[in-house]
Amino acid sequence: MSSEAVAAIQSTMVSAFDSQINNLYTIIPCIVVAVRDGLNGQMVDIQPTINQKQQDGTVAERPTIGGVPVSFQVSKKAGFTFPIEVGDTGTAMFSMRNMDGWKAGNGRPASPMNFAKMDKSDAIFLPGIQPPGVAVNNPSKHVLTHDTKDTVIFGNLGGVEAEVRIKVDGSIGITTSNMPIIIEGSDVTVNAATSLNLNTPSLTVDAASALWIGDLTFQGNIIQVGNYTQTGTYVLNSININLHKHTGVTTGSGTSGTSTN
């Protein structure tokens, strides 16, 4: 066989191989173009964001991929989810076999509906990857002060932000932008080994009954509405009210003198 024939066979084989490779999808950045059913089924439509470039130099956008499952960090009983909107970016990964049977099932083994391999219709969306120019880890994107060395869960970026922040020094902060923080539970316990500080211009405690164990010191005035019952010694301006006496005591409508102790 001549060298020309060998070269022709090689060229044909390379072309055939390239043609097959061009039809295999592996992983590619993408953008969300639609959110299905309010994300109740964790499905979105996406478009790959690296265009297809041909040998002749022409470039074309890749088509939309519909009905793509979103990969949240969840199990059947626990998880971490967050909103996904049109324009959010992430990564598309492509299954080695057709996923239609799996998507119609309950997560257990399912048979593929066709013989497709690494096809563009069998994508999984992993939200999060972003170009550096729009990366949300940039402190300038945040209303609240942000440190890239901290571990942070945040929401409503750039608006009414809220966050839970584990700082690099080990301290933890929960912050909202002028919105309430509500903690609900049948029993709530706060254990502070050293001290507990509440700093607020107004404090309301609404309880059917309250028990305070330990010494109590007030700074400021006290206004009471209702009855007052005390067990123990009551001292007012260094005078024991239980034992004190008065001078100048008279009968009838007279007024006694000052206390003597």
Side-chain angles (χ1 to χ4, degrees), residues 55-137:
Q55 292 292 334
D56 60 5
T58 58
V59 176
E61 290 188 358
R62 297 182 185 271
T64 296
I65 306 171
V68 179
V70 177
S71 177
F72 284 127
Q73 298 300 305
V74 296
S75 67
K76 289 193 297 185
K77 293 187 178 180
F80 174 62
T81 66
F82 45 85
I84 293 179
E85 299 178 348
V86 171
D88 285 337
T89 58
T91 304
M93 296 179 61
F94 298 87
S95 174
M96 62 185 292
R97 293 294 186 272
N98 174 260
M99 295 178 59
D100 291 342
W102 180 88
K103 287 192 286 188
N106 58 7
R108 296 188 177 278
S111 298
M113 298 296 189
N114 54 48
F115 296 98
K117 299 176 182 178
M118 297 181 179
D119 188 76
K120 66 176 181 286
S121 63
D122 298 316
I124 302 168
F125 178 62
L126 286 71
I129 187 174
Q130 298 173 317
V134 297
V136 298
N137 203 36

Side-chain angles (χ1 to χ4, degrees), residues 3-20:
S3 59
E4 291 80 3
V6 172
I9 293 173
Q10 289 178 338
S11 177
T12 301
M13 293 178 64
V14 169
S15 296
F17 180 78
D18 287 343
S19 177
Q20 290 298 317

Side-chain angles (χ1 to χ4, degrees), residues 17-224:
F17 180 78
D18 287 343
S19 177
Q20 290 298 317
I21 287 295
N22 287 336
N23 292 324
L24 295 180
Y25 283 71
T26 54
I27 184 170
I28 194 170
C30 60
I31 191 169
V32 175
V33 296
V35 177
R36 296 197 174 192
D37 191 27
L39 210 58
N40 290 334
Q42 295 181 204
M43 300 282 279
V44 295
D45 295 351
I46 60 175
Q47 181 182 20
T49 49
I50 297 179
N51 295 333
Q52 194 167 21
K53 188 173 184 179
Q54 305 295 341
Q55 292 292 334
D56 60 5
T58 58
V59 176
E61 290 188 358
R62 297 182 185 271
T64 296
I65 306 171
V68 179
V70 177
S71 177
F72 284 127
Q73 298 300 305
V74 296
S75 67
K76 289 193 297 185
K77 293 187 178 180
F80 174 62
T81 66
F82 45 85
I84 293 179
E85 299 178 348
V86 171
D88 285 337
T89 58
T91 304
M93 296 179 61
F94 298 87
S95 174
M96 62 185 292
R97 293 294 186 272
N98 174 260
M99 295 178 59
D100 291 342
W102 180 88
K103 287 192 286 188
N106 58 7
R108 296 188 177 278
S111 298
M113 298 296 189
N114 54 48
F115 296 98
K117 299 176 182 178
M118 297 181 179
D119 188 76
K120 66 176 181 286
S121 63
D122 298 316
I124 302 168
F125 178 62
L126 286 71
I129 187 174
Q130 298 173 317
V134 297
V136 298
N137 203 36
N138 189 327
S140 66
K141 303 289 186 182
H142 294 248
V143 173
L144 301 175
T145 301
H146 179 61
D147 189 333
T148 58
K149 295 185 292 293
D150 296 341
T151 302
V152 189
I153 299 173
F154 61 85
N156 300 321
L157 184 68
V160 185
E161 289 184 2
E163 67 174 31
V164 178
R165 181 175 297 270
I166 304 175
K167 297 187 177 182
V168 68
D169 62 5
S171 60
I172 299 175
I174 302 175
T175 309
T176 68
S177 299
N178 300 318
M179 293 298 289
I181 297 175
I182 300 174
I183 300 174
E184 295 186 1
S186 58
D187 295 284
V188 178
T189 300
V190 178
N191 295 315
T194 304
S195 64
L196 176 65
N197 298 313
L198 298 175
N199 300 308
T200 177
S202 178
L203 175 65
T204 300
V205 178
D206 186 354
S209 63
L211 173 64
W212 192 287
I213 301 174
D215 297 336
L216 184 63
T217 300
F218 281 102
Q219 292 183 351
N221 301 321
I222 298 176
I223 299 175
Q224 178 180 315

